[in-house]
């Protein structure tokens, strides 16, 4: 198994290679060329490109989970808005269009590739569970509507997030527009009215 530093190098190399070549065309040689290890060393750690890409998705999930866990806020409302910002407004070092295109290509393999599908499903579960927890806390605190369907609302957030990312890559629709619409939805349909918490 690769050391932590070697793994970090390989994951970074995979990111750069995907940006340059895309999912379908990228090769183990392309990834090795972006790293400090040789192609033979890369094959020592990951027998096939598919194995490496699965490990890469696992690494992305860890980063995504950490980003959600880092969301701050004293209230559920603040944490919900922070979560929206976390998924729609990545840092300056966040994924570029080429990388997002490569990820969309990988998502398209989900129906045919069980290993990819399992990892993509875990992304969905992680995001949905995070939002459900915030929504439930908000309802309990009287910040959100008492009759809010937590599970359905979290599923709606997930669908909006996935759809926004796909439209951004496929047709160039800015995710910022969807972010603003989702924030408006929180203000009008999730927050409790005056006196609801009493």
């Amino acid at each position: 198994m690769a050391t932590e530093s070697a793994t970090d190098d390989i994951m970074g190399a995979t990111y750069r290679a995907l940006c340059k070549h895309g999912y379908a065309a990228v090769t183990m040689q392309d990834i090795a060329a972006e790293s400090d290890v040789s192609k033979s060393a890369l094959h020592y750690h990951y027998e096939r490109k598919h194995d490496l890409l699965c490990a890469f998705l696992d690494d992305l999930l860890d980063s995504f989970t950490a980003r959600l866990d880092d969301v701050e806020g004293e209230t559920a409302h603040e944490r919900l808005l922070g979560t929206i910002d976390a998924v729609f407004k990545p840092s300056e070092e966040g994924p570029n269009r080429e990388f997002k295109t490569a990820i969309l290509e990988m998502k398209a393999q989900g129906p045919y590739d069980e290993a990819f599908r399992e990892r993509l499903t875990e992304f969905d579960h992680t995001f949905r569970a995070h939002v459900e927890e915030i929504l439930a806390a908000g309802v309990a605190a009287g910040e959100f509507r008492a009759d809010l369907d937590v599970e359905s609302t979290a599923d709606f957030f997930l669908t909006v997030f996935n759809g926004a990312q796909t439209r951004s890559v496929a047709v160039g629709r800015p995710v910022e527009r969807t972010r603003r619409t989702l924030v408006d939805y929180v203000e009008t349909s999730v927050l409790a009215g005056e006196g609801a918490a009493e």
Side-chain angles (χ1 to χ4, degrees), residues 75-98:
T75 66
H77 183 206
E78 290 175 354
R79 292 195 301 277
L80 186 57
L81 295 182
T83 297
I84 292 172
D85 282 345
V87 297
F88 283 111
K89 297 173 68 175
S91 66
E92 292 300 319
E93 296 79 29
N96 58 34
R97 182 176 176 80
E98 290 77 14

Side-chain angles (χ1 to χ4, degrees), residues 86-176:
V87 297
F88 283 111
K89 297 173 68 175
S91 66
E92 292 300 319
E93 296 79 29
N96 58 34
R97 182 176 176 80
E98 290 77 14
F99 179 67
K100 289 180 179 179
T101 300
I103 292 299
L104 185 59
E105 291 176 321
M106 294 173 74
K107 286 183 175 181
Q109 302 306 307
Y112 319 105
D113 188 311
E114 183 177 357
F116 278 9
R117 183 168 61 253
E118 288 176 354
R119 287 161 172 81
L120 295 171
T121 299
E122 193 60 33
F123 272 92
D124 282 4
H125 286 169
T126 297
F127 179 74
R128 180 171 174 166
H130 176 83
V131 174
E132 280 187 5
E133 182 179 356
I134 294 173
L135 293 174
V139 171
E143 294 179 58
F144 300 155
R145 285 179 18 228
D147 62 345
L148 185 72
D149 186 327
V150 169
E151 292 186 2
S152 295
T153 304
D155 194 59
F156 170 70
F157 271 72
L158 174 61
T159 300
V160 170
F161 170 54
N162 283 333
Q165 299 297 334
T166 298
R167 292 184 70 193
S168 173
V169 174
V171 298
R173 186 181 193 277
V175 294
E176 174 59 24

